[in-house]
Amino acid sequence: MNQDELLRWRRHLHAHPELSFHEHETARFVEETLRSFGLTPTRPVPTGVMARLRKGPGPTLALRADMDALPIQEETDLPFRSQVPGVMHACGHDGHTAILLGVAQTLSEEPFSGEVRFLFQPAEELFPGGAESMVEAGVLEGVDAVLGLHLDATRPSGLIQIKSGPLQAAPDTFEIEIRGTGGHAAYPHLLVDPIAIAAEAILALQQVVSRHNDPLEPLVLSVTQIHGGSADNVIPPSVRLGGTVRSFNEELRRKVPEWMERILAGICQAHGGEYRLHYQRGYRPVVNPPELTERVRAILTDAGFQVEEARPVMGGEDFSAYQARVPGVFFFLGAGGPGYPHHHPRFQIDESSLQVGVQAFVALVRRLLAEGLSSD
Ligand code: NI
């Protein structure tokens, strides 16, 4: 396919980022571009786009891209930097969208037998995510398998990383309110101080990972927010904490809030305070089914791509919503830029990775459709 066009799409999307569930212009751009290839896109959800490309009998393979940007003020000096204050494509989803458009264009011009279904979903970055609503709207009806990728600016451009089994963690979140009584800071003996209790609770919660969890089981518990107090001489009546828990194992995932409750209850009781824990389960973990994953790995290797074993990461991905319904494989595509991490105001990708992404998906479509998918 035409590399210039691929870059034009990606740069247009980069300059016009939209936040999760607000991808109105992005969805319109995707629809228009798909129509220019002769496809007939639909909107299964308000800011999600689907297009079907069927040529002859055969299985149906879905390909997924996410389209949302982040609430970050871009600090690059790229000529196509974000034109929207405070919003930036800082995770590469502009690249994912451009790649999938490139695949749609390429496949619309060449013969194959079966169906390719293009899923452009909203809101990967914001729970409950766009994938679940796309699935509920029926985008997987008749689909035999689904593939997705994520650009990885921390790895060399063009390098594909894949693995069977757990790849990305379940990202749960929590809010804790610790209540004391508050009062004059000069008379701590007359009150219950929620700040002192919260400090102890934050430290004790570290022991969920270091003392309660099996060291061979991946687990993260991070307290990421503390809100409380507004004056030097006033102890506030309550403190709010927030944070995230990341895990792969469902049994462990159920135990963590119980351990947290026990710690919070013990510390609050010791000091006469009270607490409320609100634990929110996030996306399921991304787990690649071995059989299809090994087929994908073999096809990519045969086709001459540079492929290596991925390491699991504790970041979450709502691609798991598709995997919960049909066999689905997710992999990483190196897009090594100047070294800033994802979600950073100076995040950049190496754009030559986009062409590799298109070629990888096209190679997978050709072989998987020709060789058949399990439910045929
Ligand atoms: Ni991302």
Side-chain angles (χ1 to χ4, degrees), residues 66 68 70 90-93 96 124-125 150-151 316-317 342-343:
D66 43 8
D68 53 330
L70 286 156
C91 196
H93 300 188
H96 303 164
E124 186 280 325
E125 300 283 3
H150 204 298
L151 293 170
E317 235 304 338
H342 291 250
H343 297 207

Side-chain angles (χ1 to χ4, degrees), residues 129-166:
E132 193 63 43
S133 61
M134 292 277 283
V135 171
E136 278 163 21
V139 301
L140 290 183
E141 271 161 37
V143 167
D144 298 290
V146 57
L147 303 177
L149 65 73
H150 204 298
L151 293 170
D152 179 356
T154 68
R155 303 294 296 157
S157 193
L159 173 68
I160 291 171
Q161 294 192 298
I162 189 166
K163 84 177 273 295
S164 294

Side-chain angles (χ1 to χ4, degrees), residues 194-211:
I195 289 190
I197 297 174
E200 216 173 307
I202 292 167
L203 289 179
L205 286 170
Q206 307 307 310
Q207 301 212 10
V208 167
V209 176
S210 71
R211 302 290 91 173

Side-chain angles (χ1 to χ4, degrees), residues 6 39 56 129 225 241 287 308 325:
L6 191 55
L39 297 177
Q225 302 188 52
L241 308 175
V287 181
E308 74 177 32
R325 275 69 170 205

